[in-house]
Amino acid sequence: MKITEYLKIESAADLSRSEVGRLGTAVIFIVAVMVYTGTKFAHIEQSYLLIAAAVIGAYMALNIGANDVANNVGPAVGSFALTLTGAIMIAAIFEAAGAIIAGGDVVQTVKKGIIDPADINDPDTFVWVMMGALLGAAIWLNLATWLGAPVSTTHSIVGGVMGAGIAAAGWDIVNWDSMGKIALSWVVSPLTGGLIAALTLYMLKRLVFFKRDPLQAAQTVVPVMIAFMSWAFTTYIFLKGIKKLVAVSFPSAVLYGLIAAVLTWLVVAPMVRRAVPNLTGDRNGVNKLFTVPLIFAAALLSFAHGANDVANAVGPLAGIVDVLTEGDGGAKVSIPLWVMGIGALGISVGLALFGPKLIRTVGSEITELDRSRAFCIALSAAITVIIASQLGMPISSTHVALGAVFGVGFLREFLEQRMHRVVENVLAEHQGDPHFDEVEKVLRDFENAQPEAKSEMLDRIKSMGAEAVITKAQRNELRSALKRQLVKRSSLFKIVSAWIITVPVAAFMAALFFFALRGMMLP
């Protein structure tokens, strides 16, 4: 047997073993949930339904961790501010902390008011609706993760509740006004996130990277931007992260954010001044100033996500628990600590086992990210959520984060294309002059340079005056460089397609599972 073939077999075997290990760990977690629930509620008449619901809730939590959390840490990993292992550890800790500390003890079981539980009079039917919704949403999330498409877990569970509700009580049970707002968020969320991220990055380029001494400019600009990030995240955490612990009005949250911003600037400004002499005077040197802020951003985004999105996994489960143990199951139910624990632990385990695939997708497969771009993405996510919460817009944090990634990529394309057009026009004005070798060298250096370094090279090309020359072949080569795409279009189409079909696919699958459950349970 050839050595290369042997190595291929060994590589395939290693991959298989790792997959089996991850699946085995996930199964152990689900079995542990099954045993715990069965032991705790063995005295209940329909304990088997509660055990099944807990297992489905645990499966949903695993899939939330595998898919949704990537948006919080992906940019930090893609920019090498965090290692993959470090990102997983930070996200797992802060996701769990957000869920346990700030997840709250009361949550709407039926997200966004999609259906009215009062229209489902039979408690057994309500249980089947919630189980069908969870199972439909979880399986769609699992499929999306396998396809490498980050999707909204909130929209998945909304689709699941809608589909199972329609199957149980007909089309009239759905609040179509709420569904219309959610459909609008498919457009509003990514566009808003992308626009804010692009504007932030463009401002950073104009104020820092396009300057002749970027590091000198960064001494003034970077502390201000980090302070602004501190304001955004402090406000964000008060409005979204700990709203179930402490009720804070918007003006108060903004004021606390301003206090945090001032304190942050007082601390960061001297630190940046001390760090600058030890950094290189190029883009890489400036990027290193954003490392620590990116780590904090990843942690805070994960905390807020755990506080808010854990309800997607355990909200319906809490409704089932309430029906089977208390006989109620209204629009709001109390979430026991053990149910919240299943959601928090499941999200962390799912992230550790299956999250790296989506983290790589968000961090490196859509567009190339460095730390300044990742900083703009994280800042955009916080600002967009703040704006949306005040305007009452239903938005998806997944759509916002990915819209910001695409916005950064498309801005890079625009700036690079515009720069190439300028160079082509300048060189075209000097046709017929000698000194081909010298101009070719400048041109090749220009094509291989970072976008921000091209401004200085343009000045050099312009200063050559009549000595500049370009041939038709060179013009064609420059024109092809003009078309270079810095955003992977296949990723764009795949992700947007997954967003569009999330609600209908989750609804269809949930309806199927509702009919299957009802068929099995009816005498």
Side-chain angles (χ1 to χ4, degrees), residues 348-514:
S348 300
V349 172
L351 169 66
L353 296 178
F354 307 108
K357 181 175 182 178
L358 270 296
I359 291 175
R360 293 189 187 98
T361 297
V362 175
S364 60
E365 293 181 7
I366 296 173
T367 190
E368 181 184 347
L369 296 178
D370 60 16
R371 293 172 196 181
S372 60
R373 296 168 195 151
F375 173 87
C376 294
I377 291 166
L379 184 59
S380 171
I383 293 174
T384 304
V385 171
I386 292 170
I387 294 173
S389 66
Q390 287 312 110
L391 296 178
M393 294 190 307
I395 65 169
S396 163
S397 58
T398 301
H399 292 189
V400 170
L402 288 168
V405 174
F406 284 119
V408 163
F410 283 123
L411 176 68
R412 294 178 60 219
E413 279 192 11
F414 169 76
L415 294 177
E416 186 142 316
Q417 290 170 5
R418 186 182 67 174
M419 195 70 76
H420 279 301
R421 283 194 294 270
V422 172
V423 173
E424 184 177 15
N425 293 336
V426 170
L427 296 181
E429 292 176 359
H430 301 282
Q431 290 264 4
D433 293 331
H435 310 299
F436 171 81
D437 291 341
E438 182 180 357
V439 174
E440 183 181 41
K441 182 180 185 304
V442 173
L443 181 61
R444 298 302 182 192
D445 290 343
F446 175 86
E447 287 183 309
N448 294 324
Q450 290 291 330
E452 290 74 20
K454 288 182 170 67
S455 180
E456 182 179 349
M457 293 185 177
L458 261 181
D459 293 337
R460 290 172 53 196
I461 294 173
K462 290 180 180 179
S463 67
M464 295 178 67
E467 297 181 355
V469 63
I470 183 171
T471 66
K472 182 178 180 180
Q474 286 175 312
R475 290 195 65 180
N476 290 336
E477 188 171 358
L478 194 58
R479 192 173 290 110
S480 66
L482 174 98
K483 299 177 182 177
R484 187 162 73 94
Q485 296 179 336
L486 300 180
V487 176
K488 191 175 179 182
R489 295 309 195 266
S490 59
S491 294
L492 172 63
F493 295 140
K494 178 176 66 176
I495 291 171
V496 171
S497 298
W499 287 354
I500 293 172
I501 67 173
T502 289
V503 169
V505 169
F508 177 74
M509 297 179 71
L512 289 181
F513 287 121
F514 169 78

Side-chain angles (χ1 to χ4, degrees), residues 124-354:
D124 288 339
T125 302
F126 180 81
V127 169
W128 302 336
V129 167
M130 292 296 103
M131 290 178 68
L134 271 178
L135 197 52
I139 290 179
W140 163 242
L141 280 176
N142 199 337
L143 179 60
T145 303
W146 179 73
L147 293 172
V151 297
S152 169
T153 55
T154 301
H155 289 179
S156 299
I157 195 63
V158 162
V161 170
M162 183 186 74
I166 291 172
W171 295 91
D172 291 339
I173 194 175
V174 178
N175 184 336
W176 293 108
D177 288 339
S178 294
M179 289 305 304
K181 292 178 181 178
I182 290 171
L184 180 64
S185 75
W186 298 339
V187 178
V188 173
S189 297
L191 287 183
T192 306
L195 181 63
I196 293 176
L199 289 175
T200 306
L201 180 60
Y202 184 70
M203 182 177 65
L204 187 60
K205 286 176 179 290
R206 291 296 301 268
L207 296 177
V208 177
F209 292 118
F210 287 165
K211 299 294 184 181
R212 293 198 174 277
D213 189 350
L215 206 55
Q216 184 65 34
Q219 287 191 69
T220 302
V221 176
V222 170
V224 174
M225 294 197 71
I226 292 175
F228 186 70
M229 187 192 79
S230 177
W231 169 83
F233 273 100
T234 302
T235 306
Y236 176 88
I237 290 296
F238 272 108
L239 291 177
K240 302 293 287 185
I242 60 173
K243 63 181 180 180
K244 299 181 181 70
L245 290 179
V246 181
V248 178
S249 65
F250 180 75
S252 298
V254 171
L255 178 62
Y256 296 145
L258 288 174
I259 295 172
V262 172
L263 294 176
T264 299
W265 185 85
L266 291 174
V267 172
V268 169
M271 293 175 64
V272 170
R273 286 196 295 270
R274 289 194 298 268
V276 162
N278 301 319
L279 300 174
T280 57
D282 55 7
R283 184 184 183 91
N284 291 331
V286 176
N287 270 320
K288 289 182 179 178
L289 297 174
F290 292 105
T291 301
V292 175
L294 271 176
I295 295 172
F296 275 98
L300 292 174
L301 284 171
S302 296
F303 182 89
H305 180 269
N308 285 280
D309 281 32
V310 69
N312 292 329
V314 300
L317 173 59
I320 294 170
V321 171
D322 195 58
V323 168
L324 295 179
T325 58
E326 305 294 335
D328 296 328
K332 292 186 176 182
V333 296
S334 175
I335 298 186
L337 183 60
W338 70 271
V339 173
M340 192 68 75
I342 288 176
L345 187 58
I347 289 174
S348 300
V349 172
L351 169 66
L353 296 178
F354 307 108

